[in-house]
């Protein structure tokens, strides 16, 4: 049975690269009906932090991934010591000044990497290496080997940056007489300029993407496309579908270029594809985390506002400034509305406010009909009132359809805001 692991060190947040490694392991385990293990590599007691651990676990869950077992290396120091002792007894390691050193017995090593094919290692930069430090903690290569072996892992799927560790680990397996797993080294994620992914191009943590208003399923979908493809130029694929067809052998060996543009496109597609009720719940949670919502906003109202903006959103954070006027009326008229506001239409807006308050069923259609009729009666073109009314209602010159917006705000709010504009004209 396939058994794979993701082995993060809780010395920082979960970044795009780590999340993709985690995803590929998970997809492979689920595709093969195997097991997916999370192994927390917290051997560096000083740099490992609970805050990072919590965030890593939360990000993994948020992406929609689950694990079958979880282990902490900090709880397994005795095991590493026992294996170090075996190596000392067999002459493969020795103790000096409280530390244990492993002696590499190097010979040419060949692996058949499931992604990269044959890799041959003809030399090692070191002849020996500390495997247990004097404080009793193991070093990465050693604890990794002991765990991969004792946990019965069949495949080690990890970032390409670990290729140079692989021959060292193989020599440790050999010295201990343990079976080596298969290896699959996933290519790096590259910046659009070809270099390693840097912060400038979005090498930020999953948590930052969440906070910026990306949807979990859009991010997971995007990560799955970094060096893998479901075929037929398909770009939108859920985890449920991907896990049916994923195979580690189909992962490309060339680096994947990170494209914020594509991620944004996917995110807006996922936003569009959600039904309004579900999207409104996601929006509500997002806005709550940002402490954005005033108290007592009903789910029903939130759904209406979501409906109003949903097709214009790339990220949920776009909601924060664009939809703010739906929750707060303390906005000032934006500087670029001055050319609209310089034409004082107090009388006409007052007439419109009167007509609006007379509408019994304040819906989009009734509003539009009455709005147009009022313009005709006042001898104005519809757009001559549309612009100032939009500014009155939202403080801005652009926004979603005006009549829908008016329906969502409701009659009282519309009339109140029209009066506010009249007051503004009177006071300037
Ligand atoms: N803790 C290591 C890392 O975060 C794991 C490497 C491995 O998968 O072997 O890079």
């Amino acid at each position: 049975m396939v058994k794979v692991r993701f082995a993060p060190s809780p010395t920082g947040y979960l970044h795009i690269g780590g999340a993709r490694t985690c995803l590929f392991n998970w997809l492979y385990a689920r595709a093969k009906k195997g097991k997916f293990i999370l192994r927390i590599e917290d051997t560096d007691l000083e740099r490992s932090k609970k805050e990072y651990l919590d965030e890593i676990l939360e990000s993994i869950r948020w992406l929609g991934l689950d694990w079958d077992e979880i282990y902490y290396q900090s709880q397994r120091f005795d095991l590493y010591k026992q294996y170090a002792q075996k190596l000392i007894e067999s002459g493969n390691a020795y103790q000096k000044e409280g530390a244990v050193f492993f002696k590499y017995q190097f010979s040419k090593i060949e692996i058949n990497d499931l992604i990269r094919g044959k890799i041959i290692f003809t030399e090692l930069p070191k002849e020996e290496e500390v495997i247990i430090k004097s404080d009793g903690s193991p070093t990465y290569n050693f604890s990794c080997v002991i765990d991969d072996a004792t946990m019965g892992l069949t495949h080690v799927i990890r970032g390409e940056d670990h290729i140079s560790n692989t021959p060292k680990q193989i020599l440790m397996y050999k010295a201990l007489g343990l079976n080596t797993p298969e290896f699959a080294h996933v290519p790096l994620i590259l910046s659009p300029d070809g270099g390693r992914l840097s912060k400038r191009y979005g090498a930020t943590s999953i948590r930052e993407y969440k906070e910026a208003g990306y949807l979990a399923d859009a991010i997971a979908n995007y990560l799955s496309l970094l060096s893998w493809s479901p075929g037929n130029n398909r770009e939108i694929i859920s985890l449920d579908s991907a896990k049916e067809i994923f195979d580690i052998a189909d992962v490309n060996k060339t680096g994947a270029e990170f494209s914020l543009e594509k991620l944004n496109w996917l995110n807006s597609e996922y936003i569009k594809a959600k039904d309004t009720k579900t999207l409104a719940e996601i929006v509500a949670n997002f806005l709550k985390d940002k402490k954005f919502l005033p108290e007592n906003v009903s789910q029903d109202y939130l759904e209406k506002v979501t409906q109003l903006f949903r097709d214009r959103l790339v990220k949920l954070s776009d909601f924060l400034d664009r939809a703010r006027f739906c929750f707060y009326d303390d906005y000032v008229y934006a500087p670029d509305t001055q050319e609209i506001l310089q034409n004082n239409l107090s009388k006409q807006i007052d007439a419109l406010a009167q007509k609006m308050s007379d509408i019994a069923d304040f819906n989009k259609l009734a509003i539009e009909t009455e709005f147009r009729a009022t313009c005709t009666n006042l001898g104005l073109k519809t757009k001559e009132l549309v612009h100032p009314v939009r500014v009155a209602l939202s403080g801005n010159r652009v926004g979603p359809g005006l009549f829908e917006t008016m329906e969502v705000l409701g009659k009282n709010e519309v009339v109140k805001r029209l009066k506010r504009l009249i007051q503004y004209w009177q006071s300037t």
Side-chain angles (χ1 to χ4, degrees):
M1 185 182 62
V2 162
K3 208 169 176 190
V4 291
R5 78 331 187 253
F6 175 55
S9 308
T11 51
Y13 295 126
L14 182 65
H15 279 235
I16 286 286
R20 198 258 318 241
T21 302
C22 180
L23 174 65
F24 280 9
N25 273 286
W26 182 87
L27 283 172
Y28 190 58
R30 297 296 173 250
K32 301 290 172 198
K33 310 263 178 283
K35 288 237 182 297
F36 174 60
I37 288 174
L38 215 50
R39 184 170 76 222
I40 307 303
E41 303 211 322
D42 53 355
T43 53
D44 188 331
L45 302 173
E46 233 154 68
R47 288 175 59 230
S48 298
K49 298 254 161 7
K50 169 128 180 19
E51 180 202 342
Y52 293 133
L53 171 66
D54 291 345
E55 188 277 336
I56 290 169
L57 299 183
E58 196 188 310
S59 290
I60 294 173
R61 280 193 211 101
W62 181 72
L63 287 169
L65 310 178
D66 55 354
W67 53 88
D68 302 307
E69 295 163 28
I70 184 167
Y71 297 95
Y72 295 85
Q73 288 192 323
S74 58
Q75 296 170 2
R76 298 164 64 84
F77 282 12
D78 285 348
L79 183 77
Y80 309 132
K81 278 182 203 151
Q82 282 167 28
Y83 276 91
Q85 191 56 38
K86 279 190 196 179
L87 287 172
I88 295 172
E89 282 160 19
S90 62
N92 288 290
Y94 67 93
Q95 206 156 8
K96 196 174 137 191
E97 288 160 10
V100 181
F101 291 77
F102 178 73
K103 298 186 280 186
Y104 291 112
Q105 304 277 333
F106 188 74
S107 57
K108 185 176 136 190
I109 293 170
E110 202 177 297
I111 62 165
N112 193 13
D113 189 285
L114 294 174
I115 295 172
R116 306 173 63 87
K118 194 192 276 189
I119 307 178
I120 300 170
F121 301 94
T122 50
E123 56 177 7
L124 265 197
K126 288 183 179 171
E127 287 179 359
E128 54 177 44
E129 186 154 356
V130 174
I131 53 172
I132 304 278
K133 294 196 256 182
S134 52
D135 66 3
S137 64
T139 53
Y140 159 70
N141 280 307
F142 186 58
S143 49
C144 180
V145 164
I146 303 307
D147 283 345
D148 286 344
T150 57
M151 292 173 186
L153 295 162
T154 54
H155 300 73
V156 168
I157 302 169
R158 62 182 167 203
E160 197 183 80
D161 46 330
H162 284 288
I163 289 185
S164 61
N165 287 316
T166 303
K168 298 181 187 173
Q169 296 182 3
I170 289 175
L171 293 173
M172 291 184 189
Y173 281 103
K174 277 194 184 152
L176 286 162
L178 298 167
N179 286 336
T180 11
E182 302 251 29
F183 291 95
H185 289 97
V186 179
L188 297 178
I189 302 173
L190 305 171
S191 285
D193 60 10
R196 260 189 101 133
L197 187 59
S198 64
K199 187 120 186 146
R200 190 166 134 227
Y201 290 108
T204 43
S205 60
I206 293 297
R207 158 209 176 106
E208 281 169 273
Y209 283 95
K210 180 181 176 197
E211 284 172 3
Y214 289 92
L215 303 191
D217 36 11
I219 294 274
N221 186 153
Y222 181 69
L223 293 175
S224 77
L225 300 178
L226 292 170
S227 292
W228 179 74
S229 155
N232 298 327
N233 290 327
R234 187 169 170 199
E235 307 226 87
I236 298 192
I237 183 164
S238 67
L239 286 183
D240 271 349
S241 305
K243 76 178 191 214
E244 297 299 317
I245 56 173
F246 184 85
D247 195 334
I248 197 68
D250 293 337
V251 172
N252 289 324
K253 55 173 168 240
T254 45
E257 196 180 286
F258 183 87
S259 159
L260 198 55
E261 219 172 31
K262 186 154 162 186
L263 173 59
N264 284 342
W265 169 76
L266 266 176
N267 205 56
S268 61
E269 290 299 309
Y270 271 85
I271 288 177
K272 282 193 205 121
K274 297 237 181 278
D275 64 81
T276 301
K277 198 169 172 354
T278 311
L279 185 61
E281 276 161 23
I282 296 172
V283 167
N285 286 331
F286 178 78
L287 298 180
K288 257 177 221 146
D289 282 351
K290 301 264 178 228
K291 303 197 183 350
F292 173 84
L293 286 179
E295 271 172 40
N296 303 327
V297 173
S298 73
Q299 192 59 27
D300 181 54
Y301 185 66
L302 203 58
E303 267 174 44
K304 285 185 184 154
V305 179
T306 302
Q307 176 66 26
L308 191 60
F309 286 92
R310 52 172 303 142
D311 291 339
R312 308 168 152 251
L313 301 177
V314 171
K315 298 173 291 207
L316 300 181
S317 51
D318 297 338
F319 213 84
L320 297 174
D321 33 286
R322 289 195 210 159
R324 191 179 182 282
F325 75 88
C326 295
F327 304 99
Y328 297 94
D329 64 1
D330 59 354
Y331 49 84
V332 289
Y333 303 135
D336 65 356
T337 61
Q338 275 314 309
E339 72 183 281
I340 295 169
L341 297 185
Q342 68 191 9
N343 189 11
N344 187 327
L345 292 171
S346 294
K347 276 207 189 92
Q348 292 85 337
I349 294 285
D350 195 40
L352 180 74
Q354 188 55 52
K355 290 289 177 194
M356 290 294 117
S357 55
D358 288 345
I359 297 177
D361 182 3
F362 201 69
N363 65 64
K364 182 186 149 192
L365 200 67
I367 296 165
E368 179 165 2
T369 310
E370 203 51 55
F371 195 104
R372 290 187 188 281
T374 308
C375 289
T376 310
N377 287 340
L378 294 168
L380 292 172
K381 292 195 192 107
T382 309
K383 70 166 193 232
E384 287 178 274
L385 275 198
V386 163
H387 294 305
V389 168
R390 188 189 293 288
V391 176
L393 300 184
S394 69
N396 273 307
R397 50 188 300 160
V398 287
L402 183 65
F403 306 120
E404 284 102 317
T405 305
M406 292 170 87
E407 178 181 327
V408 169
L409 287 172
K411 183 156 76 176
N412 290 345
E413 202 56 39
V414 166
V415 171
K416 197 174 94 193
R417 292 180 187 198
L418 292 178
K419 302 261 182 207
R420 182 181 156 194
L421 178 58
I422 296 169
Q423 260 172 22
Y424 166 86
W425 273 321
Q426 282 167 355
S427 65
T428 48

